[in-house]
């Protein structure tokens, strides 16, 4: 596909989603929408989240990753969590076989790149894009909103570029092809010699559920218990209403979650992103009569 | 109408409203919109409220009830306050002569049923639907988003069903007709032998106004005063700027409200939902010279 | 243009923006949208901000002013910050050569009037509108939502009027032409005999940036330092990531802002709207060797 002019089909009703750390107490989000509608009045705008913690790129990357699979083919995702605005970081367009992203090149698209790559990194890396991903450095001021400020590229660069993409304009016309972008390491669980797993809380949602880095597929076969903040959970629940008190379950993002029935696990445990969560496997030497105390996955 | 295939007219530009306790700090609301737009890109989406207190069915039912009358004929209301997700509660569609509701069968549609019924209940009841109401248990996985999680039916069941309804698909095709749904008792004021009324605060709005269970039509004829949290209010104001200090007036939902001029009544009084509000009628034996101290409604 | 029937072109896809102090915890905003869509299902609705401090007309006027320039020609701006609802204040339509505003006549459109006028006022004034501005007192109940409450004109008067304007209905049909509206003085910086400037914080944004009344064009030539809350800032940064600690820069609204690199200036300084910010010019007698300590603008 390289070398071919790429653009989204103009016949569809294009969708632009918006994710930012702008909050809801200013006109910043509305202003980006005004700029977009001035270029393409027929676009459908959808807010993903605007209360990302100021300048928290990791959190934005995670929240965005939970939304991407549920939007239609060719959705354009505008992501403006941009502590480096006005500095050297590049504004970019990233295209996958499913969606197009417009964002600063600061790692906020890391989950998108990791989903397409088997390469694992342990520190922030300028990473060569695996096919079919393609990226462009936004570089043609013709398509920006002028005068361009040094403090609000969401309004002056990212929003107009997303709007022009929604009009079907080829990405090559909006930027310069690049082969690598900045990627942050994913929070991945570690497994020790005995098969015990240490993961981390990556996000705490509005209900106070702790969403962890431990995916469904990371869980070991056999029996195990879950330890978090000094508590032990001995079974996997099927849903938030299955069980009593502190629960562990596979949540809607496919990750292990710690929840409190009719309450906030985060408040009960005093948890915050980065806190450890442990999966402790049952050792074969452990007494059989205790087996009720362990999760058993066939 | 029973037995006839029912669907909304496909010619109109359909509206889906969204009410939930998902908050605004996650992608949950955006995800439901993505799922809907993937099925019907031409729908108009309107947020009612997403900051319902987690799992507070009563509050969601009330807030929704204040919005319904102001939406056009055939609006589809998607309501996801669903503490029982993944458990035994049924996902349902409820149709009135004005709108269609998609929600868990947990009482969140109680105001809708009460508005069509003269039956009064004093405890949660599986209530036979009065005509012209019709309900369907959502039961055809063909129209769901797969894989269906056990924790996010808003995304996997309710949102896709609302989208299919907006496409004009007959409700019979999406679910199984049912004759009863779960209904909560409405908070109704009590009147004692002397004609005095005891109502409750059902909602505190963003301004700190106390919205009570006492409707305009519940107010007694003649003179009365209003007592709330140790304060007495002796006249009904016409608007928030009519009078001084603590005011009582009929608010925009048609219910008695307690407000504080240029301030928050809830903060001043330390009030919360459930608190009592009293209407004290003037007794005939009371001295005439005090009559200025009483509300008089001709 | 006076005397000619005025309306927006019906061919465009009309936009209505919404600004209010209604917050997000009630159905109030959704209800206004329902009313609008009932009249014009083809309008595009954009939220500017709904978390204006209750009844803070000055703040609403400022936040709105930062959004107006970024919306397309003929956008309709609905502004409902309305402490006088139900009282004597007039509901009005204000038309500029760029946009149409629907709001209470309480000063919330002050920036719009000031942008078209060279007249300066020092106290709230019923101000004659400079051309090409035209205003109308909303006065034809035919176009309102009935019954009209005394407490929610956003729903019953302003929203339906905005919707009818979006349908291309002439403004003369919706109201009575008026020549003056209520305008508040803009917070303007003062310059003393030595050329030093005293401005004020007019808004604190979500990031804790202090946005001041000092516009780019107000800054003096030559060298100066900036004093705020006992701190001195000696250079103008180009962006939020240019420099260390407390920064001063021209923000995206064209005004001087005080920011804290990777933090909240408002929290660090304990600042609030109304606080003073000083520009201290370098006196010619000051030692040359100190010049590094001063901003110098060529």
């Amino acid at each position: 596909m390289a070398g071919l002019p790429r653009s989204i089909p103009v016949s569809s009703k294009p969708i632009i989603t918006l994710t930012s750390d702008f909050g809801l107490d200013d006109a910043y989000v509305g202003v980006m929408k005004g700029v977009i509608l001035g270029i393409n009045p027929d676009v459908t705008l959808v807010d993903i989240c605007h209360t990302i913690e100021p300048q928290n790129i990791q959190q934005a990357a995670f929240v965005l990753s939970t939304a991407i699979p549920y939007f239609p083919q060719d959705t354009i995702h505008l992501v403006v969590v941009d502590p480096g605005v006005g500095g050297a970081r590049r504004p970019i367009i990233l295209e996958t076989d499913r969606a197009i992203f417009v964002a600063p090149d600061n790692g906020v698209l890391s989950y998108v790149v990791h989903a397409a790559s088997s390469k694992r990194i342990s520190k922030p890396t300028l990473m060569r894009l695996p096919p079919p991903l393609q990226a462009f450095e936004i570089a043609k001021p013709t398509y920006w909103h002028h005068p361009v400020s040094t403090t609000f590229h969401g309004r002056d660069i990212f929003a107009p570029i997303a709007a022009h993409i929604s009009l079907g304009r080829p990405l090559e016309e909006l930027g310069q092809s690049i082969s690598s972008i900045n990627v942050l390491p994913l929070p991945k669980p570690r497994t020790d010699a005995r098969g015990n797993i240490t993961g981390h809380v990556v996000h705490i949602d509005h209900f106070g559920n702790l969403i962890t880095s431990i995916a469904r597929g990371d869980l070991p076969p056999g029996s195990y218990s879950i330890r978090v903040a000094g508590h032990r959970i001995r079974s996997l629940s099927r849903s938030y209403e299955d069980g009593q008190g502190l629960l562990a379950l596979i949540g809607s993002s496919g990750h292990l979650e710690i929840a409190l029935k009719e309450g906030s696990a985060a408040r009960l445990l005093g948890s915050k992103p980065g806190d450890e969560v442990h999966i402790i496997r049952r050792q074969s030497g452990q007494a059989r009569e205790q087996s009720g105390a362990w999760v058993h996955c066939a």
Side-chain angles (χ1 to χ4, degrees), chain A:
Chain A
M1 195 170 296
L4 269 190
R6 287 280 303 156
S7 66
I8 67 162
V10 290
S11 58
S12 66
K13 186 162 165 71
I15 297 171
I16 298 178
T17 80
L18 300 97
T19 302
S20 78
D21 57 356
F22 292 166
L24 301 169
D25 298 341
D26 301 286
Y28 299 144
V29 174
V31 159
M32 293 201 300
K33 294 179 180 174
V35 168
I36 290 169
L37 292 168
I39 294 167
N40 185 0
D42 292 316
V43 80
T44 297
L45 298 168
V46 181
D47 296 306
I48 302 284
C49 181
H50 295 292
T51 54
I52 299 295
E53 201 179 287
Q55 311 171 352
N56 191 332
I57 294 167
Q58 284 276 9
Q59 188 193 15
F62 175 78
V63 170
L64 176 67
S65 79
T66 66
I68 299 166
Y70 301 97
F71 278 85
Q73 182 69 30
D74 294 323
T75 292
I76 300 158
H77 298 285
L78 174 58
V79 191
V80 191
V81 177
D82 192 13
V85 59
R89 68 89 191 93
R90 302 176 298 183
I92 59 170
I93 303 165
L94 174 64
E95 187 192 34
T96 72
D97 53 9
R98 176 163 186 85
I100 297 175
F101 300 83
V102 181
D105 181 24
N106 60 14
V108 79
L109 303 178
S110 295
Y111 284 84
V112 181
V113 177
H114 283 297
S117 169
S118 58
K119 198 173 162 189
R120 289 294 158 248
I121 58 176
S122 58
K123 57 177 206 306
T125 300
L126 185 67
M127 195 164 146
R128 189 162 201 87
L129 291 173
L133 269 48
Q134 292 198 71
F136 300 83
E137 178 176 356
I138 297 170
K140 307 281 172 63
T142 322
Y143 298 106
W144 304 353
H145 186 279
H146 295 274
V148 175
S149 70
T150 50
T151 57
F152 193 1
H153 286 182
R155 177 188 74 193
D156 301 330
I157 298 180
F158 297 114
I161 288 295
H164 281 292
I165 294 171
S166 77
L167 286 171
R169 210 172 287 283
L171 305 184
E172 285 79 357
E173 219 177 283
L174 304 170
Q176 202 84 34
S177 179
I178 53 177
S179 55
S180 306
I181 71 168
N182 284 301
V183 177
L184 302 172
L186 282 197
K188 281 305 247 183
R190 291 190 318 270
T191 304
D192 71 12
R194 288 185 298 188
N196 297 334
I197 298 170
T198 301
H200 294 87
V201 176
V202 293
H203 182 66
I204 293 175
D205 78 5
H206 176 69
F207 297 95
N209 299 325
L210 315 183
I211 301 168
T212 75
S213 56
I214 302 168
R216 189 196 307 270
D218 295 326
L219 291 172
S223 299
Y224 52 87
S225 71
I226 295 154
R227 269 196 226 152
V228 54
H231 291 249
R232 179 178 288 195
I233 302 171
R234 293 188 162 87
S235 63
L236 263 195
S237 294
R238 213 180 138 268
S239 68
Y240 299 118
E241 66 111 57
D242 171 23
Q244 292 300 329
L246 212 55
L247 309 175
L249 76 177
I250 300 299
S252 62
S253 67
H255 282 74
L256 182 72
E257 279 183 34
I258 310 301
L260 177 65
K261 191 161 181 177
E262 287 161 28
S264 162
R267 198 153 39 218
L268 175 74
L269 304 175
S271 301
K272 53 183 192 318
D275 285 359
E276 292 193 346
V277 177
H278 302 274
I279 307 284
I280 312 293
R281 297 191 69 182
R282 185 190 174 195
Q283 298 308 313
S284 51
Q286 286 183 289
R288 195 173 251 284
E289 62 269 30
Q290 292 183 349
S291 76
W294 299 91
V295 178
H296 183 81
C297 297

